């Protein structure tokens, strides 16, 4: 092998190592950013209670099964274009025990304690409101 071919071969190996290192670093940064996003998205920035008539509760999802529900808060709200609609609040829960309690209370007046998160991951629920406690209103 000539000296020129040797230099070309060493140069190609050096460039290959640098490209490989660049993509590994890029992958590492993307992984860290993704994990940080998932971590921050799970933070709760608000919590409170809402009361109303429990309209429905269901287990939904094709890939990720989540527990979803709706309560009628009472009154009406303006809807752009179609007029006036009921004041419906949608929520999710990740707790199977809460879901089972909600199923028993369907059609009744309930008081729900919730936490509002920045973003719901697909395996957690469809809304940013997560109910963790349910009480029936007598």
């Amino acid at each position: 092998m000539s000296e020129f071919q040797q230099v070309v071969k060493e140069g190609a190996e050096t460039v290959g190592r640098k490209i490989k290192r660049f993509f590994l670093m890029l992958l590492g940064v993307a992984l860290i950013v993704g994990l940080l996003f998932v971590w921050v998205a799970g933070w709760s920035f608000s919590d409170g209670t809402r009361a109303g008539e429990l309209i429905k509760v269901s287990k939904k999802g094709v890939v990720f099964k989540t527990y979803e529900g709706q309560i009628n808060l009472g009154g009406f709200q303006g809807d752009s274009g179609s007029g006036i609609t009921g004041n419906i609040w949608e929520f999710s829960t990740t707790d199977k025990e809460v879901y089972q309690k909600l199923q028993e209370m369907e059609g009744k007046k309930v008081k729900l304690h919730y936490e509002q998160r920045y973003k719901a991951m697909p395996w957690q629920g469809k809304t940013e409101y997560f109910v963790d406690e349910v009480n029936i209103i007598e």
Side-chain angles (χ1 to χ4, degrees):
M1 186 182 305
S2 71
E3 187 176 327
F4 176 73
Q5 289 174 330
Q6 183 67 26
V7 169
V8 169
K9 183 179 177 186
E10 289 174 8
E13 289 173 357
T14 302
V15 169
R17 282 194 302 267
K18 287 183 179 181
I19 290 173
K20 189 176 182 180
R21 184 180 308 151
F22 171 76
F23 280 112
L24 285 174
M25 287 177 63
L26 189 66
L27 179 65
V29 168
L31 184 63
I32 290 170
V33 168
L35 289 173
L36 281 173
F37 175 77
V38 170
W39 181 54
V40 170
W43 289 354
S44 171
F45 70 91
S46 170
D47 72 311
T49 59
R50 294 208 182 178
E53 183 181 346
L54 183 61
I55 298 172
K56 90 173 187 182
V57 62
S58 60
K59 185 176 180 181
K60 288 184 172 182
V62 176
V63 177
F64 301 112
K65 300 294 185 189
T66 61
Y67 305 120
E68 309 297 327
Q70 293 179 339
I71 62 172
N72 184 348
L73 299 174
F76 297 96
Q77 65 184 9
D79 189 12
S80 60
S82 64
I84 297 175
T85 62
N87 195 4
I88 307 298
W89 182 66
E90 296 186 351
F91 62 89
S92 303
T93 186
T94 55
D95 189 344
K96 189 172 185 174
E97 289 179 26
V98 171
Y99 169 69
Q100 290 170 342
K101 282 183 186 178
L102 286 166
Q103 282 184 312
E104 295 168 8
M105 297 177 184
E106 215 166 347
K108 298 179 181 169
K109 290 214 175 253
V110 294
K111 180 178 176 183
L112 305 177
H113 180 268
Y114 69 91
E115 287 186 349
Q116 185 176 7
R117 298 183 186 163
Y118 287 108
K119 174 85 174 121
M121 296 294 116
W123 55 88
Q124 294 174 322
K126 305 262 186 253
T127 71
E128 59 189 38
Y129 299 100
F130 290 89
V131 171
D132 56 10
E133 186 180 328
V134 58
N135 296 306
I136 195 161
I137 298 175
E138 300 291 330

